[in-house]
Amino acid sequence: MSLISDTNNSEENGIGQHRILRAFKQAQRTKSAAVMPYFTLGYPDLDRSLSIIKAIALHSDLLELGVPFSDPIADGPTIQRSTQVALEQGANTTWCLHGVRELRKAGVDTPILLMGYYNPILAYGESKFIRDAADAGIDGLIVPDLPPEESGQLRKSAEEWGLVNVNFLAPTSNRRRTKQVAAAAKGFIYLVSVTGVTGARSRLSEDLAEIVERIRAQSNLPVAVGFGISTPEQAAEVGQYADGIIVGSALIDAVDRSSDKPAAAASFVRSLEIALSLE
């Protein structure tokens, strides 16, 4: 775990940057890493998805909320299924923005990053989407199918409205790629732990700690690890060297196993929080 620098924590970087970095720093005081669960907006239906998110926000440092899309190429079977169900329930980009507004009105103050693919953003209208996302209370965007080379306009628009556009690195990213992504990064750097799609894994890469250190040599932003973390034990392991852990598929699985879905979600995220606790 790194000591997160204040050098990127100025208002000139935007309110989203400020809130995200503050969340990582606050988490660092009591936990080995920040807890950032992923959950699909609209799953298992529109109303219950918001109830679940409100429940997990109580035990989260940041939230990654997924916008359902018909072709989620970075996601494995569990999240693919959740997005398909959400689409069938009527979740679309407009509703997802509305859902975030409702969460804010309900008192959820946790930094929110909206994870979605570029086609729905393009269909909505890039400038309008950024404006409406900022108005809804979103702090940042995660667009997995938009590489840094093609994200210049989105990144510029996001920064104008106080949002950050989070970039990915993978275990296969070489030094040149790492330097390129680090130079453009805002908020935090999202390290994909495996070469593949999202989904629970029984084992994580043995090289993760080394990769995190390689990223830190190029950037003083927090490094959050996602894709594959599925248990509190794995979260605690990754939390020894990363600044944040992102868990999605295992959370959705926990929700699916229970009739009281908000309670099950809260219990699972709480188990991550406890596993990462320094106390």
Side-chain angles (χ1 to χ4, degrees):
M1 183 178 66
S2 67
L3 291 175
I4 298 168
S5 171
D6 283 326
T7 57
N8 286 288
N9 197 12
S10 64
E11 289 299 331
E12 67 182 20
N13 285 307
I15 189 169
Q17 172 93 335
H18 177 79
R19 281 170 48 80
I20 289 167
L21 289 176
R22 185 177 62 188
F24 276 103
K25 289 196 71 174
Q26 288 175 340
Q28 195 175 65
R29 297 189 184 104
T30 57
K31 295 189 286 295
S32 61
V35 177
M36 189 187 318
Y38 165 95
F39 199 77
T40 305
L41 284 158
Y43 181 78
D45 54 55
L46 304 184
D47 290 339
R48 281 190 293 178
S49 76
L50 299 185
S51 296
I52 290 166
I53 293 164
K54 283 187 278 189
I56 65 176
L58 298 173
H59 307 290
S60 305
D61 299 296
L62 304 100
L63 292 166
E64 180 185 354
L65 303 183
V67 178
F69 179 51
S70 58
D71 299 282
I73 58 173
D75 294 307
T78 298
I79 294 179
Q80 284 186 23
R81 176 175 49 80
S82 72
T83 60
Q84 183 59 41
V85 170
L87 288 170
E88 292 168 356
Q89 292 291 321
N92 55 24
T93 305
T94 299
W95 183 86
C96 289
L97 295 174
H98 167 76
V100 174
R101 286 191 190 92
E102 292 302 304
L103 291 169
R104 292 306 194 202
K105 288 178 183 177
V108 174
D109 191 43
T110 311
I112 291 176
L113 293 112
L114 208 61
M115 187 279 201
Y117 293 86
Y118 187 63
N119 269 1
I121 296 174
L122 185 64
Y124 191 94
E126 189 176 282
S127 297
K128 184 175 186 294
F129 174 80
I130 295 294
R131 183 180 68 247
D132 290 352
D135 181 67
I138 290 161
D139 297 285
L141 306 174
I142 301 172
V143 188
D145 59 344
L146 190 66
E149 299 91 334
E150 300 175 17
S151 66
Q153 184 56 50
L154 182 74
R155 185 169 63 248
K156 181 181 177 182
S157 297
E159 289 176 4
E160 288 173 354
W161 284 91
L163 278 65
V164 301
N165 181 44
V166 173
N167 291 324
F168 287 88
L169 282 170
T172 53
S173 298
N174 58 28
R175 292 184 183 276
R176 180 179 177 184
R177 183 63 170 178
T178 300
K179 184 176 182 180
Q180 177 190 22
V181 168
K186 295 288 184 182
F188 67 92
I189 293 174
Y190 194 136
L191 174 60
V192 176
S193 70
V194 295
T195 52
V197 296
T198 61
R201 304 290 201 283
S202 59
R203 296 181 61 186
L204 299 173
S205 170
E206 297 178 357
D207 301 327
L208 272 179
E210 180 183 337
I211 297 167
V212 170
E213 288 308 309
R214 191 162 71 233
I215 296 170
R216 289 208 178 105
Q218 301 289 345
S219 174
N220 58 4
L221 286 175
V223 179
V225 177
F227 285 49
I229 300 173
S230 57
T231 66
E233 293 75 20
Q234 288 177 334
E237 176 188 343
V238 175
Q240 295 306 306
Y241 48 81
D243 301 298
I245 59 99
I246 302 168
V247 181
S249 296
L251 170 59
I252 292 172
D253 286 339
V255 166
D256 288 344
R257 290 192 296 267
S258 176
S259 57
D260 189 342
K261 299 187 182 304
S267 177
F268 179 79
V269 177
R270 174 61 176 154
S271 73
L272 301 176
E273 185 182 40
I274 291 170
L276 290 166
S277 176
L278 294 174
E279 299 177 348

